[in-house]
């Protein structure tokens, strides 16, 4: 995604060109992934801006960082200065770092949702997930009443309300395969 003032849009974006790996780009990506936070390229920055960048992409300086969502591969987030070779203040660096962290969180949610939607039509994945989860059903009715009504699926554990913390702890220990002595309140 690119957002710019009129007259300053990147030619590759305006013409919808794919960005090819250019000289120096691999080094830039490697450097970006080796640090935790933004890097500055261009005037007053950590690294010089590759010579071909101003002519090809139309910007004079850049602050960039790698984003690491919890799902998938790393992404790049950059803010560029097109009209002049500007310098980036420490507060701008902090702002880009915080925006990047929030973008990573948002990407994690978005990518997870995308993957979930993609797999939603595959019943084997949903069934596999359902089979690996333990269930504990709680009710004020007796176990016999619940069983007679056919509410519980086979293998679903039941605990009748009201129950004490120790009773719940013992039931959870039974379901999860722990010894009663390993549970809270039973040491």
């Amino acid at each position: 995604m690119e957002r710019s003032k009129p007259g300053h849009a990147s030619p590759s974006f305006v013409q919808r060109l794919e960005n090819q790996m250019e000289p120096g780009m691999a080094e830039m990506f490697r450097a970006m992934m080796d640090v935790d936070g933004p890097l500055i390229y261009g005037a007053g920055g950590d690294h010089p801006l590759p010579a071909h960048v101003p002519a090809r992409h139309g910007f004079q300086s850049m602050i960039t960082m790698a984003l690491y969502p919890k799902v998938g591969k790393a992404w790049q987030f950059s803010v560029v200065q097109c009209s002049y070779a500007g310098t980036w203040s420490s507060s701008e660096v902090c702002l880009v770092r915080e925006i990047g962290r929030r973008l990573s969180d948002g990407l994690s949610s978005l990518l997870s949702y995308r993957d979930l939607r993609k797999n939603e039509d595959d019943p084997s994945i949903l069934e596999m997930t359902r089979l690996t989860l333990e269930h504990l059903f709680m009710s004020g009715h007796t176990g016999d009443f619940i069983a007679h009504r056919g509410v519980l699926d086979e293998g679903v554990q039941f605990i009748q309300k009201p129950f004490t913390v120790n009773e719940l702890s013992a039931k959870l220990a039974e379901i999860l395969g722990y010894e009663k002595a390993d549970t809270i309140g039973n040491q």
Side-chain angles (χ1 to χ4, degrees), residues 47-127:
H47 304 278
L49 198 61
H52 68 280
V53 169
R56 174 148 168 89
H57 299 286
F59 56 86
Q60 306 297 316
S61 63
M62 170 176 70
I63 184 168
T64 187
M65 70 180 285
L67 305 179
Y68 297 100
K70 292 177 176 49
V71 178
K73 298 178 180 179
W75 290 54
Q76 180 182 8
F77 168 57
S78 302
V79 178
V80 298
Q81 178 56 262
C82 299
S83 55
Y84 59 92
T87 58
W88 302 93
S89 70
S90 60
S91 61
E92 290 169 323
V93 172
C94 288
L95 180 63
V96 167
R97 177 181 294 116
E98 292 308 312
I99 290 171
R101 287 182 180 155
R102 284 162 179 76
L103 282 174
S104 290
D105 291 343
L107 277 170
S108 295
S109 299
L110 183 67
L111 295 172
S112 295
Y113 180 72
R114 179 201 64 189
D115 292 347
L116 179 64
R117 296 288 299 190
K118 186 170 37 175
N119 295 326
E120 198 171 52
D121 295 330
D122 186 353
S124 65
I125 291 175
L126 293 175
E127 184 63 22

Side-chain angles (χ1 to χ4, degrees), residues 7 13 19 72 77 84 90 103 110 130 133 144 148:
F13 183 75
N19 288 325
F77 168 57
Y84 59 92
S90 60
L103 282 174
L110 183 67
R130 185 175 120 23
L133 296 176
D144 292 338
H148 177 70

